[in-house]
């Protein structure tokens, strides 16, 4: 079986490389010549733990090209994994790239090809793609399928190789048989394969992301309540999470969710549903609450600074939207840092991987070598992303480097007991403040 993957973004590249690890011949195609040239040299354009090793190990079965037609013409299965960015204005998913890919596939595909949409697409898109292909290539027999991807950045390979489930939307037996074969290596792990309709597969992806975004937002609001009532959100998250109906995952409070998926996908499904006359009010509220939370972070820091940050120095640890990625899309840092700068603060920042990606977006920031360097002369130190390197910092050393003594930990990296007696004011999320 030969697989063509169109689009070498996060999902396309990780999926392509993992399919080659499954033992298939995979050709990854992308219009961007610089990206393809780098991939051909064995360079991975994103920071994703383990991806470079996996790519090197499967070099024999993996190829990269800008010749999309050539890739499609030699494949039995074509995955479309191009971007579906938020459309300006209404926030709905922009399907331009998906539609363009469908037209290219129609011209170049062999009869009998299964065309699989892996991009996150709103309900109805896969069927639309089928219609585009049928119109452009009326004489060719083909199948379409929807196969959304649930991988998380930073643990993408593990998520692809050991998924909780695989969702496959199909309309005919051929597409089902081919996709079952593609995911056959997961049978050993007894991974459930949910075979359903095209529309169900498409909605599942949005429903899953929206549910998780709502779950995070829920615990963030409970954290707010804890802060004014003297509660501890960590205990509450654990206690409710032990109820199997709720589950303990995605109950970590923080600055608000970010990244390339949750913000974009919640907006897209909410905008579509509203247009269709079935507004998803819970999701709309989730979006609004999360945006307000991120927007209010700077005020929280200003309040800790005694009402103004003018002329003060704030150290920010963690710029990426989450650890183990260099991705800064919709990261809280991109909102909070400019707001603090506008209020007159100087920013010293550190991130183990994302500094390069963030630099153009965050002018005026002083980029530091590590956490202690960032802390030099800082009045307040803020932990925004829970990178492992921030989990066991020497508080005495940090305190000595800082000119102030306030640490705001937006990820609850430290236990309250461990922060007592350090001479610092330790402010975290949904827990009491330690001040000694
Ligand atoms: C997400 C989905 O998890 C994945 O299934 C989908 O395919 C793509 O979108 P990703 O964006 O890579 O993956 O990261 P994820 O780990 O889900 O985190 C998203 C955001 O939520 C981050 O900003 C993270 O910090 C935040 N988060 C996550 C919390 O604040 N608390 C949590 O408990 C979990």
């Amino acid at each position: 079986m030969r697989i063509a993957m169109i689009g070498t973004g996060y999902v396309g590249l990780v999926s392509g490389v993992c399919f080659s690890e499954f033992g298939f011949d995979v050709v990854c195609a992308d219009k961007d010549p610089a990206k393809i040239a780098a991939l051909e040299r064995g360079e991975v354009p994103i920071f994703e733990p383990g991806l470079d090793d996996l790519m090197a190990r499967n070099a024999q079965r993996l190829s990269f090209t800008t010749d999309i037609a050539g890739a499609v013409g030699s494949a039995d299965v074509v995955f479309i994994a191009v971007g579906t960015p938020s459309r300006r204005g209404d926030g709905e998913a922009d399907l331009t790239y998906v539609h363009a890919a469908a037209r290219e596939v129609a011209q170049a595909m062999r009869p009998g090809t299964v065309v699989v949409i892996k991009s996150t697409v709103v309900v109805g898109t896969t069927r639309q793609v089928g219609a585009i292909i049928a119109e452009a290539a009326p004489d060719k027999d083909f199948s379409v399928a929807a196969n959304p991807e649930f991988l998380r950045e930073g643990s993408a390979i593990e998520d692809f190789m050991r998924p909780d489930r695989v969702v496959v939307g199909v309309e005919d037996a051929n597409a089902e048989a081919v996709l079952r074969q593609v995911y056959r290596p997961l049978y050993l792990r007894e991974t459930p394969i949910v075979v359903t309709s095209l529309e169900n597969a498409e909605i599942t992806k949005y429903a899953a992301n929206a549910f998780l975004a709502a779950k995070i937002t829920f615990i963030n609001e409970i954290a707010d309540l804890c802060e004014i009532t003297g509660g501890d959100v960590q205990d509450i998250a654990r206690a409710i999470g032990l109820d199997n109906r709720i589950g303990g995952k995605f109950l970590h409070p923080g600055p608000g969710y970010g990244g390339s998926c949750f913000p974009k996908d919640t907006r897209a499904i909410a905008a579509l549903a509203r247009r269709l006359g079935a507004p998803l009010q819970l999701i709309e509220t989730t979006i609004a609450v999360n945006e307000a939370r991120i927007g209010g972070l700077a005020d929280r820091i200003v309040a800790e600074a005694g009402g103004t940050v003018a002329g003060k120095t704030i150290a920010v640890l963690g710029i990426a939207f989450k650890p183990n990625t260099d991705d800064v899309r919709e990261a809280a840092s991109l909102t909070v840092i400019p707001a603090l700068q506008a209020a007159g603060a100087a920013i010293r920042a550190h991130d183990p991987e994302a500094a390069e990606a963030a630099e153009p977006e965050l002018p005026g920031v002083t980029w530091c070598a590590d956490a202690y360097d960032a802390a030099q002369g800082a009045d307040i130190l803020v932990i925004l992303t829970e990178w492992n390197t921030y989990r066991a910092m020497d508080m005495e050393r940090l305190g000595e480097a800082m000119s102030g003594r306030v640490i705001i930990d937006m990820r609850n990296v430290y236990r309250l007991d461990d922060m007592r007696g350090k001479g610092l004011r330790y402010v975290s999320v949904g827990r009491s403040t330690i001040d000694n």
Side-chain angles (χ1 to χ4, degrees), residues 149-153 205 250 252 258 261 321-322 411:
E149 187 46 62
F150 299 95
L151 54 81
R152 288 165 301 171
E153 294 186 15
K205 167 72 192 211
F250 275 64
H252 300 293
C261 289
F321 79 97
K322 63 183 253 180
R411 299 289 186 168

Side-chain angles (χ1 to χ4, degrees), residues 10-11 48 120 148-156 159 165 205 208-209 212-213 215-217 219-220 248-263 265 290 320-323 325 327 329-332 384-386 410-411:
Y10 229 104
V11 167
E48 181 61 39
T120 298
E149 187 46 62
F150 299 95
L151 54 81
R152 288 165 301 171
E153 294 186 15
S155 51
D159 285 350
R165 74 332 199 164
K205 167 72 192 211
N209 274 355
L212 293 170
K215 199 173 178 188
I216 297 166
T217 305
I219 203 67
N220 283 339
K249 292 183 179 161
F250 275 64
L251 283 179
H252 300 293
Y257 63 77
S260 63
C261 289
F262 286 171
D265 293 350
N290 192 64
F321 79 97
K322 63 183 253 180
T325 178
D327 199 337
R329 282 176 283 179
E330 307 253 2
L384 267 188
T385 313
E386 68 278 32
M410 289 306 299
R411 299 289 186 168

Side-chain angles (χ1 to χ4, degrees), residues 35-83:
K35 212 168 176 189
I36 291 299
L39 286 164
E40 277 181 321
R41 289 193 299 271
E43 292 165 18
V44 185
I46 48 176
F47 175 79
E48 181 61 39
L51 189 57
D52 43 1
D53 287 348
L54 210 60
M55 226 172 91
R57 196 159 83 207
N58 292 292
Q60 299 274 21
R61 283 190 290 266
L62 253 180
S63 57
F64 300 97
T65 183
T66 50
D67 175 14
I68 294 177
V72 169
S74 67
D76 307 292
V77 193
V78 176
F79 283 87
I80 297 181
V82 296

